[in-house]
Every structure is written in structure tokens, then in C-alpha cells.
Amino acid sequence: MTKEQDKLVTANMGYVVTLARQYKSDILSTDDLVSEGAIGLMKAAEKYDASKGKPFVTFAAPYIRRAIEKAISRLTTDIDTRSTDESLPVGSRNNYTLLNVLEDKNAVRADAAVEEITLTDDLLKCMNVLNEREQRVVNLYYGNGYERQTMAEIAETMGLKRERVRQVRDQALRKLRKEAKRKR
């Protein structure tokens, strides 16, 4: 790994821990899940291309999840045909069941929350390059401080045509991309 890749991995290990905690598992400890997630994080760091403009956390999340899920899958492949509440290993008297290693569907997805916070922070840092109309369209369209609206709803609110709202939005996004690249 390069120094840059090393920095990405080191800086994002806390995120791996957050994701690993979303997977409820009595068979694999949180440390084991974090270790598997770290492997995914390292693969992501090796393949990451910052010039594409995608935040590293957003890029790495699927790699981390896939690594954790593969580790869980390796333990459960030989018992796929068994009941989810049957003890593991089969016949033992412990509480370990397949249900203990399934993803907690009620948990807030950390990657979604982190991505939203990251994008919102990045967006707010660049908003000063937009004029008032562009800021309003972007904020309404993406629900930044407002309830998210469609272009038709924004057009009605602002007394514009839907096509004009689209043009303003696109122009604002071009300015934001340019400003984001400049700040890198």
C-alpha cells in the first residue's frame, strides 16, 4: 500500500467499526467483524480514484459491507438448509443461531448518515459561489434546510417555468463542481 492509501485506511477505521456494529453477531465478535471490514477498507483504498470526485467513505462502504457479509456467509454456508433458530454448531446447547448473525434491518445505516453529513458539509462550504436564486433552487431541490421539492413544485413556488428551474439547478451544480475541484 502507498502512503496515501495507508492514510485513507487509518483515517477511516472508525467508520469500519460503525459499520461492523450494525451486524449483530454472536458467532463473530465485533473485533472479528471490524477485522473483516478493515480488509474491505484496504481493498477500497487500493482501488479508490480521488479524481472521480466521489468521497472515499461513499466509495469504501460497499467494500466494507461486502467483506463483513462474506465473513458471515463463510460461517453459514454449510447450514443454509437449516432453521434460522437452530443452534450453531448443530446440536450444541449454546445460544448461537443463524439469526444472531443477520444484519439488523432496524439499525440506521451509518454510511448513509455519514454520506449525507459529508455531502451537506461540502455543499454548504461551496454555496457562497451561487447567487440567491441558485442557492434557493439547490436548497429546495435537495431538501437542504427545507422539505425536498420537485422541479415543478419549485417552479410554482418561485414563479418560474419548470424548465427554467432545471436550467438554474444545472448551472448551480456546474458552479458547485468547479468550486469543489478548486478546493481540493
Side-chain angles (χ1 to χ4, degrees):
M1 287 181 88
T2 66
K3 267 188 171 180
E4 193 62 37
Q5 291 168 343
D6 243 359
K7 284 181 185 177
L8 286 173
V9 170
T10 304
N12 289 286
M13 278 306 294
Y15 181 62
V16 173
V17 172
T18 302
L19 284 181
R21 286 184 179 151
Q22 289 183 356
Y23 290 86
K24 184 180 176 192
S25 175
D26 290 329
I27 294 174
L28 284 173
S29 69
T30 302
D31 288 343
D32 290 336
L33 294 173
V34 169
S35 295
E36 294 295 331
I39 292 168
L41 182 67
M42 286 185 261
K43 284 181 185 173
E46 290 171 359
K47 295 181 182 215
Y48 181 65
D49 181 2
S51 67
K52 303 239 171 151
K54 192 172 196 179
F56 178 69
V57 170
T58 305
F59 178 81
Y63 286 88
I64 298 165
R65 286 188 179 284
R66 203 172 308 122
I68 291 171
E69 289 167 3
K70 274 186 181 179
I72 292 169
S73 177
R74 280 192 305 265
L75 289 174
T76 58
T77 52
D78 61 337
I79 54 168
D80 280 343
T81 58
R82 306 223 179 254
S83 169
T84 56
D85 60 354
E86 188 172 337
S87 292
L88 299 175
V90 176
S92 71
R93 295 178 187 222
N94 64 32
N95 305 0
Y96 302 134
T97 67
L98 184 56
L99 283 175
N100 297 121
V101 296
L102 296 176
E103 179 180 4
D104 184 358
K105 299 292 183 193
N106 296 323
V108 175
R109 289 185 57 120
D111 54 340
V114 169
E115 180 178 356
E116 185 175 324
I117 290 167
T118 302
L119 290 174
T120 301
D121 288 347
D122 290 346
L123 183 64
L124 290 174
K125 288 176 188 171
C126 297
M127 288 291 277
N128 63 344
V129 300
L130 303 179
N131 65 39
E132 192 175 316
R133 177 189 272 182
E134 291 166 338
Q135 285 182 12
R136 186 151 186 229
V137 168
V138 168
N139 285 332
L140 290 170
Y141 186 78
Y142 290 102
N144 189 21
Y146 302 92
E147 186 174 328
R148 194 171 185 164
Q149 294 183 10
T150 65
M151 281 192 263
E153 291 169 330
I154 297 168
E156 188 176 320
T157 301
M158 295 180 68
L160 302 170
K161 295 205 181 276
R162 185 185 167 286
E163 176 60 18
R164 182 63 186 138
V165 170
R166 186 194 63 75
Q167 291 169 353
V168 170
R169 182 205 60 190
D170 291 350
Q171 179 180 353
L173 292 177
R174 282 190 298 274
K175 283 183 178 179
L176 289 171
R177 278 189 203 101
K178 186 176 179 180
E179 181 66 12
K181 284 181 183 178
R182 189 185 70 73
K183 287 192 175 196
R184 281 189 194 159

